[in-house]
Amino acid sequence: NAGVTQTPKFQVLKTGQSMTLQCAQDMNHEYMSWYRQDPGMGLRLIHYSVGAGITDQGEVPNGYNVSRSTTEDFPLRLLSAAPSQTSVYFCASSYYGTGGLGGYTFGSGTRLTVV
Amino acid sequence: ILNVEQSPQSLHVQEGDSTNFTCSFPSSNFYALHWYRWETAKSPEALFVMTLNGDEKKKGRISATLNTKEGYSYLYIKGSQPEDSATYLCAANAGNNRKLIWGLGTSLAVNP
């Protein structure tokens, strides 16, 4: 089992560029989510999905789009990158909502720098 | 807004010491409490998910307790080892929308 696979691991973007962070899981988890982690702040939820075709906003959704066409994939799109989006991004999946008894499974993270 | 607070912010102990840290959360509409271990340059790994008041879970030398009535959870590490050095995160799941709210973590350094 690969678990949660995130790509790329590192990315540098220029202000205004767009890009997609990929996230795939092979555990048949219904719930998938994207977080960003910034120094001095807890993990903050960007967007989440409770199943294919269903997405919703988290606490910091502005500047990001998501879609969930399959159970396995949950890409995060940066529409027009800004320096404020410099962060480490984590994808996490679980059985619906609370993660059941196993908690959330995290990807390895993407370190994004916007210059 | 649900706030999750962890203390202490950081901790340095000697190999062999036992240690514990605290996660506090509002007790209303509580659903679940998660603990994660986060090593530097890696991603968070789930340790425990607890739901019931009085729950106590154990994995090797690490254990956790939960008090939902007063809104706190303790994580204990018995006989700390250098490989226990990591940030320990807790997250509370509560309210109608059941989203996890994360604490800032306790950073543990175990000196050999």
Side-chain angles (χ1 to χ4, degrees), chain B residues 35-105:
Chain B
W35 280 102
Y36 290 79
R37 168 193 164 87
W38 194 354
E39 293 182 70
T40 302
K42 295 187 177 180
S43 52
E45 293 183 4
L47 288 172
F48 308 113
V49 178
M50 297 184 288
T51 58
L52 298 176
N53 184 47
D55 249 357
E56 184 169 344
K57 296 206 171 183
K58 187 175 181 180
K59 183 182 291 187
R61 293 179 291 99
I62 303 176
S63 60
T65 60
L66 178 66
N67 183 323
T68 62
K69 294 183 179 180
E70 297 182 41
Y72 65 84
S73 175
Y74 293 137
L75 189 79
Y76 300 91
I77 302 179
K78 183 178 179 181
S80 302
Q81 300 297 308
E83 57 265 31
D84 295 328
S85 298
T87 295
Y88 291 83
L89 290 177
C90 76
N93 186 288
N96 294 330
N97 58 22
R98 300 281 169 84
K99 294 175 186 173
L100 275 183
I101 303 297
W102 297 82
L104 296 182

Side-chain angles (χ1 to χ4, degrees), chain A residues 35 37 41-42 48 57 90 98 100 102-104 106-107, chain B residues 31 34 36 38 43-44 46 49 93 99-100 102-104:
Chain A
Y35 286 92
Q37 196 263 328
M41 306 187 79
Y48 67 99
Q57 296 180 349
F90 287 98
T98 64
Y104 283 21
F106 282 82
Chain B
Y31 188 79
H34 294 225
Y36 290 79
W38 194 354
S43 52
V49 178
N93 186 288
K99 294 175 186 173
L100 275 183
W102 297 82
L104 296 182

Side-chain angles (χ1 to χ4, degrees), chain B residues 6-11 21-22 86-89 104-108:
Chain B
Q6 292 187 248
S7 62
Q9 184 176 0
S10 65
L11 197 54
F21 9 99
T22 306
T87 295
Y88 291 83
L89 290 177
L104 296 182
T106 293
S107 174
L108 174 67

Side-chain angles (χ1 to χ4, degrees), chain A residues 81-93:
Chain A
S84 60
Q85 293 178 305
T86 294
S87 187
V88 181
Y89 292 84
F90 287 98
C91 179
S93 73

